[in-house]
Amino acid sequence: AMGAAGAVLVLLLAGSYVTGREAGYVFGDWPLMNGRFIPDLSIETHAIHFIHRVLAAITGIGLLVFGIGVLRRKTELPLQARLTHIALGCFALEILVGAANVWSRLDPIFVTLHLALGTIIWASVAGIAIVSRPGFREAAGVARRALPAFESA
């Protein structure tokens, strides 16, 4: 879970780098890049954008493999399974919104939605890592007993 959360975080940072280097709209097509699977990588902004797409593909495959593993154990890991559904569903939407960023020439609505979905994905996977730590249930039970006023709220 920590590996999946780390991979999503690296992807988010790479996306921020794409934005900072103004490489978000260097190709007018998607999923191709100027009609090619691999663009001219001698152009720096093309290489930056391409790396983000490659990282997104690798992270997506890793997240899917990780998610299938969690979902196979959903009876023993119900909270993790819920968070996995959120992460995988949002990642699927994230792919479409990433494409919409290109197709709409970085319309602010799609850019904002892209950032929001990325945040939800990372929070979901980080949440899985947190609740999967050994002793989390015991610590949560102690916290619940120590704060009885919150149980009635």
Side-chain angles (χ1 to χ4, degrees):
M2 289 183 67
V8 172
L9 182 59
V10 167
L11 179 58
L12 291 173
L13 294 173
S16 294
Y17 189 73
V18 167
T19 300
R21 295 303 303 259
E22 297 184 4
Y25 185 72
V26 294
F27 305 114
D29 52 348
W30 187 94
L32 299 176
M33 293 157 276
N34 288 342
R36 301 170 61 188
F37 283 108
I38 300 176
D40 180 359
L41 298 177
S42 66
I43 301 170
E44 184 180 12
T45 54
H46 289 194
I48 291 167
H49 190 102
F50 176 73
I51 289 168
H52 179 62
R53 288 197 192 184
V54 169
L55 285 174
I58 292 168
T59 301
I61 291 167
L63 193 58
L64 183 62
V65 169
F66 168 74
I68 289 170
V70 171
L71 294 175
R72 285 186 175 155
R73 299 175 57 197
K74 67 182 173 186
T75 55
E76 58 190 281
L77 303 171
L79 179 55
Q80 290 92 327
R82 284 188 198 135
L83 291 170
T84 298
H85 281 291
I86 292 167
L88 292 178
C90 285
F91 200 89
L93 286 173
E94 184 78 309
I95 293 167
L96 297 175
V97 171
N101 270 329
V102 173
W103 297 332
S104 71
R105 297 179 181 206
L106 299 178
D107 183 293
I109 291 172
F110 292 116
V111 171
T112 303
L113 186 56
H114 197 58
L115 294 171
L117 286 168
T119 302
I120 293 167
I121 294 162
W122 183 81
S124 299
V125 181
I128 294 167
I130 291 166
V131 301
S132 297
R133 290 184 56 88
F136 175 80
R137 279 184 199 243
E138 294 80 21
V142 169
R144 259 189 239 113
R145 287 190 298 278
L147 302 169
F150 288 113
E151 288 183 18
S152 61

